Amino acid sequence: MPKVAIILGSTRPGRNGEAVARWVFEIANKRTDAEFELVDINDYDLPLLDEAVPPSMGQYSKPHTKRWAAKIASFDGFVFVTPEYNHSTSAALKNAIDFLFAEWNNKAAGFVSYGSAMGVRAVEHLRLIMAELMIADVRAQVMLSLATDFENYSVFKPSVGKENTVTMMLDQVIEWSDAMKSVRTHNVAVAT
Ligand SMILES: Cc1cc2nc3c(=O)[nH]c(=O)nc-3n(C[C@H](O)[C@H](O)[C@H](O)COP(=O)(O)O)c2cc1C
């Protein structure tokens, strides 16, 4: 069974992202076709990227990098839960992504976004980043509006039908997470 991380990509005190990520995790956790874990980047105490060697070289030197790398390496796929900050994702999520390379490669990802404009521009930026990391990003996407999926822009109350969009996105992430295992197996076979 594929292992999928639901990555909580905002670290702001009072963040809306926590309720969103927990909601996604609760929906996902009812499924029997994959295992899920909620991964909060706040728990990994990552400073701004402080590795001297580019992550694509795989020479991690810092304990926080090694711990983050071990966690991400353990998954076959990802669901990025992202806010939209200034028409992009959060700096915290971009930084956490930038720390690693091989641990992301040849896996699958889907997105859950929220914001005044439902976070769609944050996800468009993330899709460009996925290409560089060789992550296969699925089409189905969960988009949440601060105006209609939150009360007072702060209390998460997803509107009718949003849960279905999570299910559609997870269906695709699970299928592609499973499929990408064969790419990784093939690459290992070619290298040996
Ligand atoms: C620095 C900053 C920039 C923002 N820029 C945008 C934006 O460009 N577009 C948008 O739709 N919402 C924007 N927002 C609103 C956020 O998407 C909204 O506050 C969201 O709840 C932030 O996620 P968080 O609560 O998990 O930190 C911005 C919020 C912050 C704090």
Side-chain angles (χ1 to χ4, degrees):
M1 258 202 314
K3 280 189 71 183
V4 177
I6 294 162
I7 299 182
L8 169 44
S10 75
T11 55
R12 193 177 64 85
R15 59 192 175 171
N16 282 326
E18 187 162 341
V20 174
R22 288 193 187 286
W23 171 73
V24 174
F25 177 70
E26 277 164 27
I27 297 167
N29 219 20
K30 290 181 198 148
R31 300 179 69 119
T32 54
D33 53 354
E35 284 175 43
F36 296 91
E37 185 176 330
L38 185 51
V39 175
D40 182 350
I41 56 175
N42 231 358
D43 292 338
Y44 289 82
D45 294 325
L46 295 168
L48 286 175
L49 181 60
D50 62 349
E51 289 285 349
V53 179
S56 56
M57 307 295 282
Q59 296 170 31
Y60 305 143
S61 66
K62 303 281 166 67
H64 52 254
T65 314
K66 291 177 184 170
R67 183 169 164 249
W68 178 234
K71 175 52 66 181
I72 294 305
S74 70
F75 297 107
D76 303 300
F78 311 100
V79 173
F80 291 100
V81 178
T82 181
E84 179 167 309
Y85 291 164
N86 296 318
H87 289 209
S88 190
T89 191
S90 68
L93 179 56
K94 177 65 162 59
N95 185 58
I97 291 171
D98 287 347
F99 256 97
L100 308 179
F101 187 73
E103 295 75 11
W104 299 117
N105 294 169
N106 298 312
K107 297 181 179 177
F111 306 97
V112 177
S113 62
Y114 55 95
S116 307
M118 298 201 208
V120 292
R121 296 164 296 208
V123 172
E124 290 300 297
H125 274 182
L126 279 167
R127 289 186 186 280
L128 292 174
I129 295 162
M130 298 295 107
E132 178 59 14
L133 293 170
M134 299 189 296
I135 296 178
D137 50 320
V138 304
R139 177 174 186 263
Q141 181 171 329
V142 180
M143 295 169 284
L144 301 163
S145 160
L146 281 188
T148 56
D149 295 305
F150 291 81
E151 268 177 21
N152 300 323
Y153 301 92
S154 57
V155 180
F156 185 46
K157 295 261 171 79
S159 55
V160 176
K162 294 293 179 172
E163 181 164 342
N164 286 345
T165 66
V166 176
T167 299
M168 282 191 279
M169 180 272 297
L170 290 175
D171 286 347
Q172 294 181 5
V173 169
I174 292 165
E175 203 166 4
W176 282 21
S177 295
D178 219 16
M180 292 303 283
K181 284 183 190 175
S182 69
V183 177
R184 298 200 297 281
T185 309
H186 171 79
N187 287 355
V188 170
V190 168
T192 49

